[in-house]
Amino acid sequence: PPRYSEFVNKTAELDILEQWGDHVLPKIEDSGRWENIPICKPSIMTYGKEHDSLKRRENKSHRLISCVWASSGYSTRGERFGIHDGHRRLREWLHYVFLTGFDHVYVYDNSGGNSNKTSLKVVTDDFKGKVTRLVWPSKVCNNNRNFADSPGERSSQYAAESSCRLRFGPHAEWIGQFDVDEYLAPMGDYATVPKLLDQLDKEGKKIISFGSWRAWPRKQLIEEPIPINNRSICESTRTCFQLKVPENNTMLQTYNCDRQKGLKKDKMPAEKQLYRSDYVKLHFVHYSTVTNLTLMNKQETIDFGQK
C-alpha cells in the first residue's frame, strides 16, 4: 500500500487492465533494455576492505569522488564516426581532476561493449590507489541518430551511474558526475573543488549545478584538417573535416577557444552537478531526480520547515 496515508483511497483501487491493458511486462520484442539491469556482488567481495561497510558514517573514506563511464573507443550516434582516443582522453582527464582536488575516481570501463580487443586498464593501472576500474561491458540499446524514430540513448551509462552511487557513494561525502571531455574549473577564491565544498557545507547546500558550454579548438594547435566529402556523414551545409590534436598538445589546452567574450550569458542545456551522496537518492546524468526532500510527504515537508 502507499506509504502516504493522505493518498490512500480504499474506494478507488487500481484497475490494472484499465491502466495497462492485458500485460504489464513489455513484450519480448520491446524488452531489450532489460539486459542492462546491473547485478553486482557486494563491494567488499570485489574491492576488499576499503569498501567494507555500506553504513553511513561520519568519517567517510573520501571527501570527493567522481564516477565516469568511459571506453577506449566508440562510435558516434548513427555510427558515423569511430573515436579511438579514449586512452589519451581518460589519462589527461584523470591528471586534471586530481590536480583540482578529487580524492578517487571510479572508472566504469565500457570498452567491452564495443570490442574485446582493448580496455582502459593500461591507463587506470598508472593511478594505483586513486582509481578503481570496473569492467562494464553493458551495451547501449541502440545508437541511432537523435532525430530517428527510436533515438539513440545511453542505457549503459545510466546503469553505471546508479551502480556507482549505490556502491561507492556511502564511502564519500560528495560525488561529481562528469565525462572525460568535461572539465570543472575552480575559479575566484576557490583554488580547488574541496575549497568550494567547504563553503557549500557551511551554507547547508546539498547540490550545486554548473552550466556548461562547448569550447572550440584553437586552429593553430590542431593538425591540418582533412575535408570530409561523404554527405551521409557530413550533413551540414558547411564543410566538415577530420580533426586531430597532436600528441604534444593536451585536449584542454587545445579546446579553449571560447565563443563568448567576457562573462558568459549563454549555456548548454546539459548542466553538471556536485551532490552529497547521503542526500541524493537517484541521479540521472544531469539532474538529481530523487532526494531526501522529495521522498517526504506533505506533513513531513512542513515539519522540516518547507512549504
Side-chain angles (χ1 to χ4, degrees), residues 183-218:
Y183 291 77
L184 178 62
M187 300 178 67
D189 296 331
Y190 307 107
T192 64
V193 179
K195 291 292 185 181
L196 172 61
L197 300 184
D198 291 342
Q199 183 62 36
L200 296 178
D201 285 337
K202 290 179 183 178
E203 298 172 358
K205 290 184 170 61
K206 311 294 186 182
I207 304 168
I208 183 170
S209 298
F210 301 90
S212 62
W213 186 255
R214 290 178 180 173
W216 285 355
R218 295 166 57 186

Side-chain angles (χ1 to χ4, degrees), residues 10-68:
K10 295 182 179 179
T11 62
E13 296 183 356
L14 176 65
D15 188 328
I16 296 295
L17 292 178
E18 179 182 350
Q19 296 294 327
W20 299 98
D22 60 358
H23 70 281
V24 177
L25 292 176
K27 298 177 181 179
I28 295 297
E29 59 269 22
D30 297 330
S31 61
R33 65 183 62 242
W34 285 82
E35 74 177 47
N36 282 321
I37 297 178
I39 301 177
C40 309
K41 293 188 297 184
S43 297
I44 187 173
M45 294 178 64
T46 307
Y47 300 101
K49 293 184 178 180
E50 178 188 356
H51 309 292
D52 61 353
S53 172
L54 293 181
K55 298 179 181 178
R56 292 183 187 177
R57 59 178 183 266
E58 302 237 343
N59 298 320
K60 297 193 175 185
S61 302
H62 302 298
R63 173 76 162 137
L64 173 63
I65 67 172
S66 185
C67 306
V68 60

Side-chain angles (χ1 to χ4, degrees), residues 37-132:
I37 297 178
I39 301 177
C40 309
K41 293 188 297 184
S43 297
I44 187 173
M45 294 178 64
T46 307
Y47 300 101
K49 293 184 178 180
E50 178 188 356
H51 309 292
D52 61 353
S53 172
L54 293 181
K55 298 179 181 178
R56 292 183 187 177
R57 59 178 183 266
E58 302 237 343
N59 298 320
K60 297 193 175 185
S61 302
H62 302 298
R63 173 76 162 137
L64 173 63
I65 67 172
S66 185
C67 306
V68 60
W69 178 75
S71 175
S72 58
Y74 64 94
S75 296
T76 59
R77 297 183 190 272
E79 310 295 332
R80 293 188 301 161
F81 297 101
I83 308 299
H84 306 290
D85 59 359
H87 293 95
R88 175 185 181 182
R89 287 179 179 268
L90 177 62
R91 187 184 300 279
E92 293 183 11
W93 183 83
L94 287 172
H95 279 298
Y96 180 85
V97 296
F98 292 135
L99 284 173
T100 54
F102 281 77
D103 298 324
H104 201 92
V105 174
Y106 295 91
V107 176
Y108 279 68
D109 188 352
N110 190 232
S111 302
N114 302 284
S115 170
N116 292 323
K117 297 180 179 179
T118 62
S119 76
L120 296 171
K121 187 175 185 299
V122 66
V123 177
T124 57
D125 281 354
D126 288 341
F127 295 85
K128 293 187 183 299
K130 301 286 287 183
V131 174
T132 298

